[in-house]
Amino acid sequence: MRIHCFSGNGNSAAVAASLGQLLHDESNDILWVFPVYAWGIPPVVVSRIKEMDLNGIRCHMVCTCGDETGNIDRQWHRLILSCGGVPGGIYSVQMPNTYVCLPFFNVDKPEIASQKLNASGQRIDTIAEWLSDRDFRTDLLRGSLPWFKTTVIYPWFCRFLTDSSKFHHTNSCTACGLCSKMCPCHNISTGPEGYPQWDNHCASCLRCYHICPRHAVAYGKRTAGKGQYLHPLFRKLFLISAK
């Protein structure tokens, strides 16, 4: 089984790494691991899958979510079938919140984040057992009003809140270049004085915001006073990789 992963701040990468150690499946299946975006699939993942001819390949999905997934499974079924694939197991793992670009959205308090991380290990073990046993169930934290969230809010989010034009650096920026080096989509360049400039192919993963050691990346005024988060196992890896 091949594992394809998209991760902004390490939650999905940590889940994918753990599953990679636990699974010993030699099938041609693909396991996709990625975070939930506004109760749907990240547009960057949708675009990547649409580029592929899955040709009957069974595609499993593990999504990481701060709280809920909505009807992401129905979206997954439509996407995989439209690309010639076969939908497989669909699972979710609750992980610490990372989204900060709307009012009332913030990272979890440290104690809540720790509780989610501690509980995620058993959940990952369970998902690995299901996949190993070819138990391709759907097991999600669907939450309340799932149809409305995935069918109405998700398209609105993709249209209006994946725009990078509101990203900017504050006066705390030291032009270290870390955000540019670590952007997974190579969407950030540095200007003549070394300060970051955002292009127009942003994945809205918020890695630039969360990884900045000076907390100097902002999204308009919406991130003022909000926290930062990186998965603890990947914080050092991100920083080491940037050197």
Side-chain angles (χ1 to χ4, degrees):
M1 182 182 296
R2 293 167 288 167
I3 299 179
H4 292 194
C5 175
F6 171 71
S7 183
N9 304 294
N11 282 338
S12 294
V15 171
S18 295
L19 288 170
Q21 293 178 338
L22 293 168
L23 295 172
H24 305 285
D25 187 324
E26 297 183 359
S27 70
N28 196 37
D29 294 6
I30 301 177
L31 172 62
W32 299 81
V33 186
F34 51 80
V36 172
Y37 270 34
W39 302 281
I41 303 170
V44 66
V45 175
V46 174
S47 297
R48 177 70 183 99
I49 292 175
K50 285 184 175 180
E51 293 172 354
M52 303 177 67
D53 180 7
L54 296 176
N55 193 26
I57 296 173
R58 189 180 302 276
C59 293
H60 312 284
M61 181 197 93
V62 175
C63 60
T64 57
C65 61
D67 296 295
E68 304 169 351
T69 67
N71 283 341
I72 196 171
D73 55 320
R74 299 180 185 180
Q75 185 186 12
W76 181 254
H77 272 266
R78 291 193 298 269
L79 174 62
I80 297 304
L81 289 172
S82 71
C83 297
V86 178
I90 300 175
Y91 319 99
S92 64
V93 179
Q94 191 175 39
M95 299 290 276
N97 277 301
T98 64
Y99 192 71
V100 294
C101 294
L102 281 175
F104 311 112
F105 283 76
N106 201 352
V107 299
D108 290 320
K109 294 180 179 179
E111 58 271 23
I112 300 298
S114 294
Q115 290 173 11
K116 290 181 178 180
L117 289 172
N118 290 337
S120 67
Q122 180 58 54
R123 176 64 176 173
I124 293 168
D125 288 345
T126 299
I127 292 172
E129 290 177 7
W130 285 335
L131 286 169
S132 297
D133 293 340
R134 312 296 284 176
D135 182 351
F136 302 147
R137 67 179 71 189
T138 295
D139 194 88
L140 299 171
L141 289 168
R142 201 176 295 276
S144 61
L145 302 174
W147 178 89
F148 177 78
K149 289 173 178 175
T150 301
T151 306
V152 178
I153 296 179
Y154 171 78
W156 175 83
F157 172 87
C158 292
R159 182 174 181 181
F160 297 108
L161 290 177
T162 56
D163 175 17
S164 60
S165 64
K166 290 184 174 64
F167 279 110
H168 63 94
H169 64 84
T170 69
N171 292 334
S172 299
C173 180
T174 61
C176 71
L178 184 61
C179 57
S180 175
K181 294 175 184 176
M182 296 306 296
C183 176
C185 295
H186 308 290
N187 186 57
I188 305 173
S189 58
T190 52
E193 297 181 356
Y195 293 109
Q197 299 175 333
W198 282 261
D199 206 339
N200 59 2
H201 49 275
C202 178
S204 298
C205 71
L206 300 183
R207 184 184 295 181
C208 57
Y209 169 86
H210 289 290
I211 204 170
C212 178
R214 302 284 296 181
H215 207 164
V217 172
Y219 189 79
K221 296 181 179 180
R222 297 174 184 172
T223 52
K226 295 186 177 180
Q228 293 174 295
Y229 168 85
L230 289 175
H231 189 281
L233 295 180
F234 284 80
R235 179 181 296 275
K236 290 184 179 180
L237 177 62
F238 285 150
L239 299 180
I240 291 172
S241 299
K243 293 182 179 179

